Amino acid sequence: MRIDPVLNFLRGFLMGMADVVPGVSGGTIAVLVGIYERLVHSISMASKALGNVLRLRFREAARRLGDIEWSLIIPLLIGIATAILLLAGVISHLLETYPEAMAGAFAGLVAASAWVAARLTKAPNWTHVAIVLVVTAATFALLGLKGGEIT
């Protein structure tokens, strides 16, 4: 058995887990597991294929569909669907029962994805650092605000 489909299923499962949580993106997981660019390329090809079908350009649509990395997309979608179906109730329960621990886990995911994104930056400069610091400060300030019941 080839490991790629299993690995892509697991990547999709992780993305589906993240998608179940409000405010957390499977795209963050795609960055962390190193498939973001491949995924975006395949989505772009699918979008272009659909546009060609709508314009009745079937040959061009078929060519675009051939450019999609199906060995990534199909196991990924199955993994995402499986996670959503299996974990929606569990994650909801964990968020209600252990909000602080879950917030910590998701803050860790965001920090890890920020680290990966920083490593992908080819030529970081002081402007990048300033933007990161401002966004970080704003995020912590906003997260520190206490919500109340709306009556």
Side-chain angles (χ1 to χ4, degrees):
M1 173 169 67
R2 289 188 53 200
I3 194 149
D4 287 345
V6 174
L7 187 57
N8 289 334
F9 171 84
L10 292 173
R11 289 169 171 156
F13 194 87
L14 291 172
M15 289 173 67
M17 286 174 58
D19 287 335
V20 168
V21 179
V24 179
S25 167
T28 301
I29 302 300
V31 169
L32 289 175
V33 298
I35 61 167
Y36 185 78
E37 289 180 16
R38 292 167 52 203
L39 178 60
V40 169
H41 175 74
S42 287
I43 292 170
S44 173
M45 292 301 105
S47 173
K48 289 176 182 179
L50 179 60
N52 284 312
V53 167
L54 294 175
R55 290 183 200 96
L56 305 176
R57 298 179 186 162
F58 299 113
R59 261 190 209 158
E60 182 64 19
R63 189 177 75 73
R64 296 290 185 182
L65 288 173
D67 290 338
I68 295 172
E69 193 177 342
W70 294 106
S71 62
L72 170 70
I73 298 300
I74 292 172
L76 209 61
L77 290 174
I78 294 170
I80 291 169
T82 302
I84 290 171
L85 290 172
L86 293 178
L87 299 178
V90 173
I91 297 288
S92 179
H93 170 73
L94 290 173
L95 283 169
E96 290 175 18
T97 309
Y98 306 102
E100 293 86 5
M102 294 300 286
F106 296 118
L109 282 174
V110 171
S113 64
W115 174 256
V116 170
R119 291 181 60 214
L120 294 174
T121 304
K122 302 220 185 311
N125 58 41
W126 287 108
T127 304
H128 295 134
V129 173
I131 290 170
V132 168
L133 292 175
V134 168
V135 169
T136 301
T139 300
F140 280 110
L142 290 172
L143 290 175
L145 297 176
K146 300 290 181 201
E149 239 182 80
I150 299 175
T151 57

